[in-house]
mmCIF file with all atom_site columns, all heavy atoms in Angstrom:
data_model
loop_
_atom_site.group_PDB
_atom_site.id
_atom_site.type_symbol
_atom_site.label_atom_id
_atom_site.label_alt_id
_atom_site.label_comp_id
_atom_site.label_asym_id
_atom_site.label_entity_id
_atom_site.label_seq_id
_atom_site.pdbx_PDB_ins_code
_atom_site.Cartn_x
_atom_site.Cartn_y
_atom_site.Cartn_z
_atom_site.occupancy
_atom_site.B_iso_or_equiv
_atom_site.pdbx_formal_charge
_atom_site.auth_seq_id
_atom_site.auth_comp_id
_atom_site.auth_asym_id
_atom_site.auth_atom_id
_atom_site.pdbx_PDB_model_num
ATOM 1  N N   . ARG A 1 9   ? 107.022 114.824 111.492 1.00 0.00 ? 107 ARG A N   1
ATOM 2  C CA  . ARG A 1 9   ? 107.677 115.320 110.276 1.00 0.00 ? 107 ARG A CA  1
ATOM 3  C C   . ARG A 1 9   ? 106.962 114.834 109.024 1.00 0.00 ? 107 ARG A C   1
ATOM 4  O O   . ARG A 1 9   ? 106.873 115.551 108.030 1.00 0.00 ? 107 ARG A O   1
ATOM 5  C CB  . ARG A 1 9   ? 109.141 114.889 110.282 1.00 0.00 ? 107 ARG A CB  1
ATOM 6  C CG  . ARG A 1 9   ? 109.948 115.513 111.413 1.00 0.00 ? 107 ARG A CG  1
ATOM 7  C CD  . ARG A 1 9   ? 111.441 115.310 111.209 1.00 0.00 ? 107 ARG A CD  1
ATOM 8  N NE  . ARG A 1 9   ? 112.146 115.768 112.407 1.00 0.00 ? 107 ARG A NE  1
ATOM 9  C CZ  . ARG A 1 9   ? 112.601 114.967 113.369 1.00 0.00 ? 107 ARG A CZ  1
ATOM 10 N NH1 . ARG A 1 9   ? 112.474 113.656 113.248 1.00 0.00 ? 107 ARG A NH1 1
ATOM 11 N NH2 . ARG A 1 9   ? 113.212 115.463 114.424 1.00 0.00 ? 107 ARG A NH2 1
ATOM 12 N N   . VAL A 1 19  ? 97.493  117.990 99.958  1.00 0.00 ? 117 VAL A N   1
ATOM 13 C CA  . VAL A 1 19  ? 96.491  116.974 99.630  1.00 0.00 ? 117 VAL A CA  1
ATOM 14 C C   . VAL A 1 19  ? 96.055  116.280 100.917 1.00 0.00 ? 117 VAL A C   1
ATOM 15 O O   . VAL A 1 19  ? 96.681  116.424 101.968 1.00 0.00 ? 117 VAL A O   1
ATOM 16 C CB  . VAL A 1 19  ? 97.044  115.930 98.630  1.00 0.00 ? 117 VAL A CB  1
ATOM 17 C CG1 . VAL A 1 19  ? 97.472  116.605 97.331  1.00 0.00 ? 117 VAL A CG1 1
ATOM 18 C CG2 . VAL A 1 19  ? 98.209  115.148 99.230  1.00 0.00 ? 117 VAL A CG2 1
ATOM 19 N N   . ARG A 1 63  ? 116.255 113.660 106.990 1.00 0.00 ? 161 ARG A N   1
ATOM 20 C CA  . ARG A 1 63  ? 115.552 114.783 107.642 1.00 0.00 ? 161 ARG A CA  1
ATOM 21 C C   . ARG A 1 63  ? 114.278 114.286 108.311 1.00 0.00 ? 161 ARG A C   1
ATOM 22 O O   . ARG A 1 63  ? 113.891 114.772 109.377 1.00 0.00 ? 161 ARG A O   1
ATOM 23 C CB  . ARG A 1 63  ? 115.245 115.859 106.613 1.00 0.00 ? 161 ARG A CB  1
ATOM 24 C CG  . ARG A 1 63  ? 114.650 117.138 107.202 1.00 0.00 ? 161 ARG A CG  1
ATOM 25 C CD  . ARG A 1 63  ? 114.435 118.186 106.113 1.00 0.00 ? 161 ARG A CD  1
ATOM 26 N NE  . ARG A 1 63  ? 113.937 119.426 106.679 1.00 0.00 ? 161 ARG A NE  1
ATOM 27 C CZ  . ARG A 1 63  ? 114.706 120.389 107.194 1.00 0.00 ? 161 ARG A CZ  1
ATOM 28 N NH1 . ARG A 1 63  ? 116.017 120.220 107.224 1.00 0.00 ? 161 ARG A NH1 1
ATOM 29 N NH2 . ARG A 1 63  ? 114.192 121.487 107.691 1.00 0.00 ? 161 ARG A NH2 1
ATOM 30 N N   . THR A 1 82  ? 117.644 106.128 116.450 1.00 0.00 ? 180 THR A N   1
ATOM 31 C CA  . THR A 1 82  ? 116.592 105.784 115.493 1.00 0.00 ? 180 THR A CA  1
ATOM 32 C C   . THR A 1 82  ? 116.344 104.287 115.482 1.00 0.00 ? 180 THR A C   1
ATOM 33 O O   . THR A 1 82  ? 117.279 103.515 115.336 1.00 0.00 ? 180 THR A O   1
ATOM 34 C CB  . THR A 1 82  ? 116.990 106.229 114.076 1.00 0.00 ? 180 THR A CB  1
ATOM 35 O OG1 . THR A 1 82  ? 117.193 107.626 114.094 1.00 0.00 ? 180 THR A OG1 1
ATOM 36 C CG2 . THR A 1 82  ? 115.888 105.904 113.085 1.00 0.00 ? 180 THR A CG2 1
ATOM 37 N N   . VAL A 1 154 ? 98.768  95.961  92.963  1.00 0.00 ? 252 VAL A N   1
ATOM 38 C CA  . VAL A 1 154 ? 97.342  95.679  93.172  1.00 0.00 ? 252 VAL A CA  1
ATOM 39 C C   . VAL A 1 154 ? 96.629  96.923  93.684  1.00 0.00 ? 252 VAL A C   1
ATOM 40 O O   . VAL A 1 154 ? 95.555  97.298  93.194  1.00 0.00 ? 252 VAL A O   1
ATOM 41 C CB  . VAL A 1 154 ? 97.158  94.521  94.174  1.00 0.00 ? 252 VAL A CB  1
ATOM 42 C CG1 . VAL A 1 154 ? 95.684  94.316  94.492  1.00 0.00 ? 252 VAL A CG1 1
ATOM 43 C CG2 . VAL A 1 154 ? 97.749  93.232  93.619  1.00 0.00 ? 252 VAL A CG2 1
ATOM 44 N N   . ALA A 1 166 ? 84.529  106.670 89.231  1.00 0.00 ? 264 ALA A N   1
ATOM 45 C CA  . ALA A 1 166 ? 83.955  107.863 89.868  1.00 0.00 ? 264 ALA A CA  1
ATOM 46 C C   . ALA A 1 166 ? 83.955  109.048 88.911  1.00 0.00 ? 264 ALA A C   1
ATOM 47 O O   . ALA A 1 166 ? 82.965  109.798 88.825  1.00 0.00 ? 264 ALA A O   1
ATOM 48 C CB  . ALA A 1 166 ? 84.733  108.200 91.131  1.00 0.00 ? 264 ALA A CB  1
ATOM 49 N N   . PRO A 1 188 ? 86.206  94.788  78.165  1.00 0.00 ? 286 PRO A N   1
ATOM 50 C CA  . PRO A 1 188 ? 87.551  94.939  77.572  1.00 0.00 ? 286 PRO A CA  1
ATOM 51 C C   . PRO A 1 188 ? 87.500  95.260  76.083  1.00 0.00 ? 286 PRO A C   1
ATOM 52 O O   . PRO A 1 188 ? 87.809  94.433  75.236  1.00 0.00 ? 286 PRO A O   1
ATOM 53 C CB  . PRO A 1 188 ? 88.202  93.574  77.846  1.00 0.00 ? 286 PRO A CB  1
ATOM 54 C CG  . PRO A 1 188 ? 87.060  92.615  77.905  1.00 0.00 ? 286 PRO A CG  1
ATOM 55 C CD  . PRO A 1 188 ? 85.916  93.384  78.507  1.00 0.00 ? 286 PRO A CD  1
ATOM 56 N N   . LEU A 1 201 ? 93.536  89.340  85.775  1.00 0.00 ? 299 LEU A N   1
ATOM 57 C CA  . LEU A 1 201 ? 93.574  87.884  85.680  1.00 0.00 ? 299 LEU A CA  1
ATOM 58 C C   . LEU A 1 201 ? 94.800  87.330  86.389  1.00 0.00 ? 299 LEU A C   1
ATOM 59 O O   . LEU A 1 201 ? 94.734  86.302  87.081  1.00 0.00 ? 299 LEU A O   1
ATOM 60 C CB  . LEU A 1 201 ? 93.555  87.441  84.217  1.00 0.00 ? 299 LEU A CB  1
ATOM 61 C CG  . LEU A 1 201 ? 92.253  87.680  83.451  1.00 0.00 ? 299 LEU A CG  1
ATOM 62 C CD1 . LEU A 1 201 ? 92.403  87.250  81.996  1.00 0.00 ? 299 LEU A CD1 1
ATOM 63 C CD2 . LEU A 1 201 ? 91.099  86.916  84.092  1.00 0.00 ? 299 LEU A CD2 1
ATOM 64 N N   . GLY A 1 259 ? 83.222  86.752  84.341  1.00 0.00 ? 357 GLY A N   1
ATOM 65 C CA  . GLY A 1 259 ? 83.251  85.540  83.524  1.00 0.00 ? 357 GLY A CA  1
ATOM 66 C C   . GLY A 1 259 ? 83.302  85.837  82.043  1.00 0.00 ? 357 GLY A C   1
ATOM 67 O O   . GLY A 1 259 ? 84.099  85.240  81.298  1.00 0.00 ? 357 GLY A O   1
ATOM 68 N N   . VAL A 1 295 ? 57.396  99.356  81.314  1.00 0.00 ? 393 VAL A N   1
ATOM 69 C CA  . VAL A 1 295 ? 56.793  100.674 81.136  1.00 0.00 ? 393 VAL A CA  1
ATOM 70 C C   . VAL A 1 295 ? 55.277  100.515 81.116  1.00 0.00 ? 393 VAL A C   1
ATOM 71 O O   . VAL A 1 295 ? 54.735  99.693  80.377  1.00 0.00 ? 393 VAL A O   1
ATOM 72 C CB  . VAL A 1 295 ? 57.264  101.318 79.806  1.00 0.00 ? 393 VAL A CB  1
ATOM 73 C CG1 . VAL A 1 295 ? 56.567  102.659 79.610  1.00 0.00 ? 393 VAL A CG1 1
ATOM 74 C CG2 . VAL A 1 295 ? 58.771  101.480 79.807  1.00 0.00 ? 393 VAL A CG2 1
#
Side-chain angles (χ1 to χ4, degrees):
R107 295 193 188 100
V117 300
R161 186 177 183 85
T180 301
V252 175
L299 291 177
V393 177

